[in-house]
Every structure is written in structure tokens, then in C-alpha cells.
């Protein structure tokens, strides 16, 4: 039996599902979009080595999602990646400094994460191509009112 990492298993499972459900000719190495939604990551985090695996196995990837995975931390990749669309919704992440390594990012979705204040979004200033940002937090990043009309 081969010694594969959790991320390799997740990618292979997703690729198999794509072949069975969508396209028997699906090839992970040429896929432009990778969706690891509702999968498990070791220690509930994506580490630098996981990004290296994604890059080596999915050479053409431009869009990546890992929603509803129970993630608590996402590390930055060791080098810049050409990702244009990223979605980490419904994960308990509070630090998004990893996005600095995605200079081509056009769309970022962080709905239902643990971002607590506007300062948590400061890192986005370096993303010159960012056009779409979806951030939904429990307390609206400290601005506005809750559902009962009470100010934060």
C-alpha cells in the first residue's frame, strides 16, 4: 500500500467522483477548478506541503474551494499561486494572510468564517485584481446591527 497524505486522498477521491459523475475523461492534472468541499484535512488545517501537493497534481488549477471542511487554519503556500477564485466558506478560520500568495485573485469568498474585525481584511489591500469579496461573519465584522436591530 502506498503512503499517501490526506490531501492526496482528498484529491484522488474528488477526481474519481468527477470521472464517475461528470466526465469519464476527467484529468486532475488539467483541471482548472478543484473542489474539496466537505472533506477532512489533517489537523483541520491546510499546510504549506498541502499547497505543494495541489500544485504538483493540479497544474492548471485557477479556482479552489474547501468549504464546510472544519478548517481552523490555512497556511500560505511556499510560492505564489495563480489562483483566481478561492472559497473557504463555513470554516473556522480567522487569519487570511495566506491570500498574499494569490496575486491573481479576482474572487474571494469567506462566508461564515471566524473573521472578527475589519483589520482582519487589511491583507486584501495587496490584491490588485480582487473584484469580488464575500465576507459574512457572525457579528458583521463589528459593524452594523444584528437581526434584532442591536448595534455591535
Amino acid at each position: 500500500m502506498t503512503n499517501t497524505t490526506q490531501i492526496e486522498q482528498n484529491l484522488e477521491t474528488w477526481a474519481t467522483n468527477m470521472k464517475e459523475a461528470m466526465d469519464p475523461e476527467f484529468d486532475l492534472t488539467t483541471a482548472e477548478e478543484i473542489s474539496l468541499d466537505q472533506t477532512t484535512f489533517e489537523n483541520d488545517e491546510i499546510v504549506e506541503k498541502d499547497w505543494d501537493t495541489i500544485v504538483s497534481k493540479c497544474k492548471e488549477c485557477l479556482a479552489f474551494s474547501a468549504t464546510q471542511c472544519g478548517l481552523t487554519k490555512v497556511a500560505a503556500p511556499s510560492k505564489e499561486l495563480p489562483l483566481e477564485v478561492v472559497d473557504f466558506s463555513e470554516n473556522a478560520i480567522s487569519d487570511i494572510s495566506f491570500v498574499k500568495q494569490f496575486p491573481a485573485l479576482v474572487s474571494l469568498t469567506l462566508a461564515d468564517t471566524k473573521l472578527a474585525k475589519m483589520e482582519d481584511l487589511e491583507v486584501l489591500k495587496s490584491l490588485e485584481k480582487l473584484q469580488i469579496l464575500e465576507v459574512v461573519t457572525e457579528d458583521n465584522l463589528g459593524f452594523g446591527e444584528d437581526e434584532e436591530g442591536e448595534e455591535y
Side-chain angles (χ1 to χ4, degrees):
M1 184 171 164
T2 9
N3 185 15
T4 59
T5 64
Q6 183 70 51
I7 191 77
E8 288 172 316
Q9 291 172 13
N10 290 347
L11 288 168
E12 292 303 321
T13 299
W14 182 73
T16 299
N17 291 341
M18 288 297 291
K19 286 179 183 178
E20 291 172 357
M22 304 290 280
D23 179 7
E25 302 297 316
F26 178 81
D27 182 356
L28 192 59
T29 61
T30 59
E32 291 184 0
E33 180 178 342
I34 303 300
S35 174
L36 297 181
D37 299 340
Q38 300 177 337
T39 58
T40 304
F41 289 84
E42 193 170 325
N43 298 319
D44 295 329
E45 61 185 317
I46 294 179
V47 296
E48 185 178 305
K49 187 176 178 181
D50 292 336
W51 289 117
D52 294 341
T53 300
I54 291 167
V55 168
S56 70
K57 295 198 172 281
C58 316
K59 299 177 184 343
E60 313 253 335
C61 184
L62 298 175
F64 178 82
S65 71
T67 65
Q68 300 175 328
C69 295
L71 292 170
T72 57
K73 183 178 179 187
V74 178
S78 59
K79 60 182 180 181
E80 290 183 351
L81 301 183
L83 293 176
E84 296 176 0
V85 178
V86 172
D87 187 348
F88 280 109
S89 295
E90 298 183 56
N91 286 295
I93 59 173
S94 58
D95 177 6
I96 59 167
S97 58
F98 62 88
V99 300
K100 291 185 285 189
Q101 292 296 72
F102 308 144
L105 201 61
V106 175
S107 175
L108 176 62
T109 305
L110 299 164
D112 297 320
T113 58
K114 296 293 180 187
L115 296 172
K117 55 193 179 306
M118 285 298 288
E119 290 78 22
D120 294 338
L121 302 177
E122 287 287 321
V123 68
L124 301 178
K125 289 181 179 179
S126 65
L127 301 175
E128 294 178 9
K129 296 182 179 184
L130 188 65
Q131 296 177 25
I132 301 167
L133 173 63
E134 181 181 349
V135 178
V136 178
T137 63
E138 191 172 292
D139 70 351
N140 212 15
L141 293 173
F143 289 95
E145 301 174 348
D146 62 15
E147 292 177 10
E148 287 78 40
E150 299 291 322
E151 285 197 28
Y152 292 113

